[in-house]
Amino acid sequence: MFTTLISVTQLQSMQTSGVPLLVLDCTFDLMNPAAGYAQYVEQHIAGAQHADLDKHLATHDPALRVNGGRHPLPQREVFAAWLQSVGVNQDTQVVVYDRNGMNYCGRLWWMLKWCGHDAVAVLDGGLKAWMNASGALASGAEAAHAPGNFALREPLVKLVTTAAVSGHLNDGTQTLIDARGAPRYRGEVEPLDPVAGHIPGALNRPFNTNLNADGFFKSADELRTEFTALIGSAKPETVVHHCGSGVSAVPNVLAMEVAGLGRTALYAGSWSEWCNTPGLPCEKS
């Protein structure tokens, strides 16, 4: 079972092993939401289904969401029904990827853990690595899988609310890490949300810092050294990750787990919910 990263070679071996397997392409474009599916149709890993951030990994129906912000998580029951519809079974090894620096596929990785399914891994290097290794490709829409028997289990990850982050803002029990780019974190620019800046006390680690020059996750030792330097004397189990809307924070969650620092928490509402909540402090620096 693969639970964090999977290499191209490992995925290719799994495809011929007979192990129950489902590959999901999470390609997306924040500035052009329709482009992700169009890119998938143009070219994807053979056999992969598409998972859309706006349609499948978030909901904009207030009655079905569990948090605020720009990409609210759907209720676990809603997401579980979608997993069943694309063919996820209790014993399925899920592999997720994108062509966006393993950003959007991280969201699906985390959501499966949130629904109690540990057998999910991110394809290290994404579609580029697959193509560089001459992996099989296809175009067009794939035939739908038979419905799966996926059922919700206890969450394997921790979801943190705005109230919880606010309540522990000054008591030293949480260590906030913001995954947005440094200019957004400092409040110099803000292309997406109505207020610029960051949650007071948050540390900054842009999500793409986890990758090396070739687009793969850095080694466990490198990641451990970098995160340890970032959080200083704080304990890893106090870390709460966030970003703009709860998506690009997940590569930091994954990186800390790869580094052997444990499975840390996610504040999914992130800056987009925080800065839209009356009375909460915002900081620039």
Side-chain angles (χ1 to χ4, degrees), residues 27-37 52 54:
T27 300
F28 191 73
D29 185 337
L30 274 180
M31 300 304 177
N32 182 8
Y37 182 70
D52 187 274
D54 272 346

PDB file of all heavy atoms in Angstrom, residues 27-37 52 54:
ATOM      1  N   THR A  27      -5.635  17.798 -12.746  1.00  0.00           N
ATOM      2  CA  THR A  27      -5.195  19.023 -13.410  1.00  0.00           C
ATOM      3  C   THR A  27      -6.257  20.114 -13.315  1.00  0.00           C
ATOM      4  O   THR A  27      -7.444  19.868 -13.543  1.00  0.00           O
ATOM      5  CB  THR A  27      -4.877  18.737 -14.888  1.00  0.00           C
ATOM      6  OG1 THR A  27      -3.840  17.752 -14.957  1.00  0.00           O
ATOM      7  CG2 THR A  27      -4.441  19.993 -15.607  1.00  0.00           C
ATOM      8  N   PHE A  28      -5.818  21.337 -12.990  1.00  0.00           N
ATOM      9  CA  PHE A  28      -6.759  22.442 -12.818  1.00  0.00           C
ATOM     10  C   PHE A  28      -6.043  23.757 -13.104  1.00  0.00           C
ATOM     11  O   PHE A  28      -4.810  23.825 -13.099  1.00  0.00           O
ATOM     12  CB  PHE A  28      -7.320  22.453 -11.384  1.00  0.00           C
ATOM     13  CG  PHE A  28      -8.492  23.378 -11.184  1.00  0.00           C
ATOM     14  CD1 PHE A  28      -9.741  23.058 -11.692  1.00  0.00           C
ATOM     15  CD2 PHE A  28      -8.348  24.555 -10.481  1.00  0.00           C
ATOM     16  CE1 PHE A  28     -10.820  23.914 -11.525  1.00  0.00           C
ATOM     17  CE2 PHE A  28      -9.412  25.421 -10.295  1.00  0.00           C
ATOM     18  CZ  PHE A  28     -10.656  25.094 -10.818  1.00  0.00           C
ATOM     19  N   ASP A  29      -6.820  24.803 -13.367  1.00  0.00           N
ATOM     20  CA  ASP A  29      -6.275  26.139 -13.587  1.00  0.00           C
ATOM     21  C   ASP A  29      -7.178  27.131 -12.857  1.00  0.00           C
ATOM     22  O   ASP A  29      -8.335  27.307 -13.226  1.00  0.00           O
ATOM     23  CB  ASP A  29      -6.239  26.450 -15.088  1.00  0.00           C
ATOM     24  CG  ASP A  29      -5.580  27.783 -15.413  1.00  0.00           C
ATOM     25  OD1 ASP A  29      -5.540  28.659 -14.531  1.00  0.00           O
ATOM     26  OD2 ASP A  29      -5.123  27.958 -16.551  1.00  0.00           O
ATOM     27  N   LEU A  30      -6.649  27.760 -11.795  1.00  0.00           N
ATOM     28  CA  LEU A  30      -7.465  28.676 -10.999  1.00  0.00           C
ATOM     29  C   LEU A  30      -8.031  29.815 -11.829  1.00  0.00           C
ATOM     30  O   LEU A  30      -9.155  30.271 -11.598  1.00  0.00           O
ATOM     31  CB  LEU A  30      -6.619  29.274  -9.861  1.00  0.00           C
ATOM     32  CG  LEU A  30      -6.508  28.492  -8.552  1.00  0.00           C
ATOM     33  CD1 LEU A  30      -5.635  29.274  -7.575  1.00  0.00           C
ATOM     34  CD2 LEU A  30      -7.868  28.217  -7.944  1.00  0.00           C
ATOM     35  N   MET A  31      -7.253  30.298 -12.771  1.00  0.00           N
ATOM     36  CA  MET A  31      -7.672  31.452 -13.552  1.00  0.00           C
ATOM     37  C   MET A  31      -8.578  31.085 -14.728  1.00  0.00           C
ATOM     38  O   MET A  31      -9.213  31.946 -15.320  1.00  0.00           O
ATOM     39  CB  MET A  31      -6.441  32.213 -14.058  1.00  0.00           C
ATOM     40  CG  MET A  31      -5.556  32.735 -12.938  1.00  0.00           C
ATOM     41  SD  MET A  31      -6.483  33.778 -11.786  1.00  0.00           S
ATOM     42  CE  MET A  31      -5.212  34.134 -10.563  1.00  0.00           C
ATOM     43  N   ASN A  32      -8.628  29.796 -15.058  1.00  0.00           N
ATOM     44  CA  ASN A  32      -9.471  29.324 -16.156  1.00  0.00           C
ATOM     45  C   ASN A  32      -9.970  27.917 -15.793  1.00  0.00           C
ATOM     46  O   ASN A  32      -9.422  26.916 -16.254  1.00  0.00           O
ATOM     47  CB  ASN A  32      -8.679  29.300 -17.465  1.00  0.00           C
ATOM     48  CG  ASN A  32      -9.537  28.857 -18.645  1.00  0.00           C
ATOM     49  OD1 ASN A  32     -10.751  28.698 -18.530  1.00  0.00           O
ATOM     50  ND2 ASN A  32      -8.891  28.630 -19.777  1.00  0.00           N
ATOM     51  N   PRO A  33     -10.982  27.829 -14.932  1.00  0.00           N
ATOM     52  CA  PRO A  33     -11.405  26.539 -14.388  1.00  0.00           C
ATOM     53  C   PRO A  33     -11.734  25.468 -15.423  1.00  0.00           C
ATOM     54  O   PRO A  33     -11.574  24.284 -15.154  1.00  0.00           O
ATOM     55  CB  PRO A  33     -12.642  26.903 -13.558  1.00  0.00           C
ATOM     56  CG  PRO A  33     -12.396  28.314 -13.138  1.00  0.00           C
ATOM     57  CD  PRO A  33     -11.722  28.952 -14.327  1.00  0.00           C
ATOM     58  N   ALA A  34     -12.163  25.870 -16.607  1.00  0.00           N
ATOM     59  CA  ALA A  34     -12.503  24.873 -17.626  1.00  0.00           C
ATOM     60  C   ALA A  34     -11.268  24.260 -18.270  1.00  0.00           C
ATOM     61  O   ALA A  34     -11.348  23.206 -18.912  1.00  0.00           O
ATOM     62  CB  ALA A  34     -13.389  25.502 -18.702  1.00  0.00           C
ATOM     63  N   ALA A  35     -10.119  24.901 -18.105  1.00  0.00           N
ATOM     64  CA  ALA A  35      -8.910  24.462 -18.796  1.00  0.00           C
ATOM     65  C   ALA A  35      -8.391  23.115 -18.293  1.00  0.00           C
ATOM     66  O   ALA A  35      -7.795  22.358 -19.053  1.00  0.00           O
ATOM     67  CB  ALA A  35      -7.816  25.520 -18.665  1.00  0.00           C
ATOM     68  N   GLY A  36      -8.618  22.830 -17.018  1.00  0.00           N
ATOM     69  CA  GLY A  36      -8.104  21.581 -16.457  1.00  0.00           C
ATOM     70  C   GLY A  36      -8.658  20.358 -17.162  1.00  0.00           C
ATOM     71  O   GLY A  36      -7.907  19.458 -17.561  1.00  0.00           O
ATOM     72  N   TYR A  37      -9.974  20.345 -17.326  1.00  0.00           N
ATOM     73  CA  TYR A  37     -10.581  19.196 -18.003  1.00  0.00           C
ATOM     74  C   TYR A  37     -10.156  19.149 -19.465  1.00  0.00           C
ATOM     75  O   TYR A  37      -9.923  18.064 -20.017  1.00  0.00           O
ATOM     76  CB  TYR A  37     -12.102  19.257 -17.896  1.00  0.00           C
ATOM     77  CG  TYR A  37     -12.779  18.063 -18.532  1.00  0.00           C
ATOM     78  CD1 TYR A  37     -12.684  16.794 -17.956  1.00  0.00           C
ATOM     79  CD2 TYR A  37     -13.491  18.202 -19.713  1.00  0.00           C
ATOM     80  CE1 TYR A  37     -13.280  15.697 -18.542  1.00  0.00           C
ATOM     81  CE2 TYR A  37     -14.092  17.105 -20.316  1.00  0.00           C
ATOM     82  CZ  TYR A  37     -13.984  15.855 -19.728  1.00  0.00           C
ATOM     83  OH  TYR A  37     -14.575  14.755 -20.316  1.00  0.00           O
ATOM     84  N   ASP A  52     -12.157  17.179 -10.752  1.00  0.00           N
ATOM     85  CA  ASP A  52     -12.152  18.630 -10.917  1.00  0.00           C
ATOM     86  C   ASP A  52     -12.234  19.323  -9.555  1.00  0.00           C
ATOM     87  O   ASP A  52     -13.100  19.012  -8.736  1.00  0.00           O
ATOM     88  CB  ASP A  52     -13.346  19.040 -11.784  1.00  0.00           C
ATOM     89  CG  ASP A  52     -13.320  20.507 -12.140  1.00  0.00           C
ATOM     90  OD1 ASP A  52     -13.823  21.321 -11.326  1.00  0.00           O
ATOM     91  OD2 ASP A  52     -12.794  20.847 -13.209  1.00  0.00           O
ATOM     92  N   ASP A  54     -13.200  22.348  -8.674  1.00  0.00           N
ATOM     93  CA  ASP A  54     -14.451  23.056  -8.427  1.00  0.00           C
ATOM     94  C   ASP A  54     -15.657  22.135  -8.318  1.00  0.00           C
ATOM     95  O   ASP A  54     -16.542  22.354  -7.490  1.00  0.00           O
ATOM     96  CB  ASP A  54     -14.698  24.078  -9.534  1.00  0.00           C
ATOM     97  CG  ASP A  54     -14.061  25.424  -9.239  1.00  0.00           C
ATOM     98  OD1 ASP A  54     -13.656  25.653  -8.086  1.00  0.00           O
ATOM     99  OD2 ASP A  54     -13.955  26.248 -10.166  1.00  0.00           O
TER     100      ASP A  54
END
